[in-house]
């Protein structure tokens, strides 16, 4: 029986140990469990977001910033009980939330672990948005915040850079499902709650809602504008928009010369100005250097041997 968790619907029977397009069987492998301080301010706060980086990915982005774990080359095996323990450990460390990074191929196991953990901090579902809306329903009532990418507005770029020509329509349907589940964003600070997304104060943390990210790629400002226009026309201020300038050219993208440089300050400012002209008032813009090493975590030896054996690539 094939896997239906992601839009690929590949024929692999992952429950029988076969590997899907994501590069993983149904055994849960995790590459990092640690506080993370470089998400949007309302996610990281002062104490960090409790990130759990899952091994494997259903995209094949040629510029992937986390390519080692996306390819399933890092991580240790966790049982569902150990995964629940990892969630609780992050909560006990004072993290503001539990942040599930690239989780879609493990939705059933994650849902079981979340029910077991009984958390009192929000759960963040951190995704490329190449998601099956049907599978996302398995997170309803469990995910409080969706931190979702919208990478491409057109089929050509999605095919060329992520081997997923159906990405634009798939992401639109997935984001619609996310918004249906959690609705308009809510923020909290000092036991006060703000539901008007344009008025919450500095230092407030998101406790519910959707943030849609767009990673600006070099030379692709027009595509970025198309993404922003779609999001604003469709959702207004219901979702927060995060425009990211942190693209880092890495060696595995050298076959794509147009991607072998960073985004310029002028490119980023052009996209931000467009967002403001549209009327986007609920969002996150980055300042300073376009990319820093801190945006790409180190996945070497992040978990102890107590979590089981290291991942051995098939």
């Amino acid at each position: 029986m094939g896997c239906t968790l992601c839009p690929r619907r590949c024929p692999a029977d992952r429950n029988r140990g076969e590997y899907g397009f994501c590069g993983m069987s149904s055994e849960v492998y995790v590459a990092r469990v640690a506080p993370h301080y470089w998400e949007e301010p309302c996610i990281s706060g002062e104490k960090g977001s409790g990130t759990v980086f899952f091994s494997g990915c259903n995209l094949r982005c040629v510029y992937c910033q986390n390519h080692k774990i996306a390819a399933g080359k890092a991580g240790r095996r966790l049982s569902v009980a150990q995964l629940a323990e990892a969630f609780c450990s992050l909560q006990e460390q004072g993290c503001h939330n539990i942040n599930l990074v690239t989780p879609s191929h493990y939705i059933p196991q994650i849902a079981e672990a979340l029910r077991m953990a009984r958390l009192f901090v929000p759960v963040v579902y951190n995704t490329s948005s190449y998601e099956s809306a049907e599978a996302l329903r398995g997170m309803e009532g469990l995910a409080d915040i969706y931190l979702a990418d919208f990478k491409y507005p057109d089929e050509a770029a999605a095919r060329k850079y992520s081997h997923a020509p159906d990405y634009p329509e798939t992401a639109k349907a997935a984001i619609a499902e996310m918004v249906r589940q959690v609705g308009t964003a809510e923020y909290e600070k000092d036991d006060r709650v703000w539901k008007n997304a344009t008025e919450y104060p500095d230092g407030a943390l998101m406790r519910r809602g959707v943030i849609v990210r767009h990673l600006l790629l070099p030379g692709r400002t027009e595509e970025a504008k198309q993404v922003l226009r779609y999001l604003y026309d469709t959702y207004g201020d219901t979702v927060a928009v995060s425009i990211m300038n942190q693209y880092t050219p890495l060696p595995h993208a050298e076959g794509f010369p147009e991607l072998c440089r960073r985004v310029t300050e002028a490119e980023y400012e052009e996209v931000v100005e467009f967002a403001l002209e549209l009327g986007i008032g609920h969002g996150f813009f980055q300042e300073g250097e376009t990319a820093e090493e801190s945006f790409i975590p180190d996945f070497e030896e992040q978990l102890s041997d107590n979590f089981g054996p290291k991942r051995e690539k098939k």
Side-chain angles (χ1 to χ4, degrees):
M1 182 177 180
C3 180
T4 60
L5 284 176
C6 95
R8 303 268 183 198
R9 301 183 73 87
C10 61
D13 189 340
R14 295 174 58 224
N15 288 325
R16 292 179 175 269
E18 296 178 5
Y19 296 103
F21 186 93
C22 60
M24 309 304 294
S25 70
S26 62
E27 291 187 316
V28 177
Y29 277 80
V30 169
R32 190 171 194 258
V33 176
H36 190 59
Y37 298 92
W38 300 284
E39 305 285 29
E40 285 69 15
C42 66
I43 300 296
S44 289
E46 295 182 356
K47 298 179 181 179
S49 178
T51 49
V52 180
F53 283 82
F54 292 93
S55 301
C57 183
N58 62 5
L59 287 181
R60 289 291 180 270
C61 300
V62 298
Y63 52 83
C64 181
Q65 310 291 279
N66 294 336
H67 64 286
K68 186 171 184 178
I69 63 165
K73 294 180 180 179
R76 291 187 183 275
R77 186 175 66 225
L78 277 70
S79 67
V80 169
Q82 288 173 319
L83 185 57
E85 178 185 342
F87 296 158
C88 292
S89 173
L90 291 167
Q91 180 173 255
E92 290 166 3
Q93 292 176 56
C95 294
H96 297 297
N97 45 62
I98 305 302
N99 189 342
L100 312 171
V101 184
T102 319
S104 59
H105 47 297
Y106 291 131
I107 284 177
Q109 298 92 328
I110 290 170
E112 185 179 353
L114 288 172
R115 293 188 182 98
M116 188 181 298
R118 299 187 180 186
L119 303 170
F120 55 79
V121 296
V123 172
V124 180
Y125 190 98
N126 189 334
T127 172
S128 70
S129 295
Y130 194 58
E131 299 272 0
S132 159
E134 180 182 359
L136 280 176
R137 294 185 190 108
M139 292 300 298
E140 187 162 9
L142 297 172
D144 304 288
I145 299 166
Y146 282 100
L147 191 54
D149 292 343
F150 197 139
K151 295 179 180 292
Y152 316 105
D154 64 83
E155 176 182 321
R159 182 190 302 275
K160 181 177 183 180
Y161 296 132
S162 292
H163 303 88
D166 59 336
Y167 178 89
E169 294 307 313
T170 298
K172 289 177 182 179
I175 293 169
E177 172 61 20
M178 298 172 199
V179 174
R180 183 196 69 79
Q181 288 185 23
V182 299
T184 303
E186 297 179 3
Y187 298 83
E188 184 173 16
K189 182 180 182 182
D190 299 329
D191 296 325
R192 290 189 59 193
V193 176
W194 281 262
K195 294 188 178 182
N196 185 329
T198 60
E199 295 182 359
Y200 71 93
D202 289 342
L205 297 170
M206 180 176 273
R207 71 174 196 176
R208 188 172 180 84
V210 179
I211 299 174
V212 180
R213 294 166 153 178
H214 179 71
L215 176 64
L216 180 60
L217 297 177
R220 307 194 76 84
T221 56
E222 292 307 311
E223 286 92 338
K225 293 175 184 179
Q226 291 176 46
V227 168
L228 295 176
R229 182 175 294 281
Y230 170 78
L231 292 173
Y232 185 71
D233 289 347
T234 306
Y235 298 109
D237 281 332
T238 298
V239 304
V241 175
S242 180
I243 307 173
M244 302 189 296
N245 65 1
Q246 67 202 51
Y247 173 77
T248 303
L250 296 172
H252 53 271
E254 63 185 8
F256 300 83
E258 70 275 21
L259 298 181
C260 292
R261 67 170 176 85
R262 294 182 177 181
V263 171
T264 67
E265 184 177 347
E267 287 174 323
Y268 186 71
E269 288 181 353
E270 178 184 342
V271 174
V272 169
E273 288 176 6
F274 179 80
L276 296 174
E277 290 171 2
L278 272 180
I280 293 176
H282 183 200
F284 305 94
F285 310 137
Q286 292 177 326
E287 298 178 357
E289 294 295 326
T290 57
E292 297 180 5
E293 185 179 356
S294 59
F295 287 119
I296 305 175
D298 178 12
F299 299 106
E300 291 290 347
E301 301 299 337
Q302 290 288 342
L303 299 174
S304 72
D305 289 339
N306 293 334
F307 283 113
K310 289 183 179 179
R311 166 75 164 153
E312 293 184 4
K313 184 63 178 172
K314 65 181 189 333

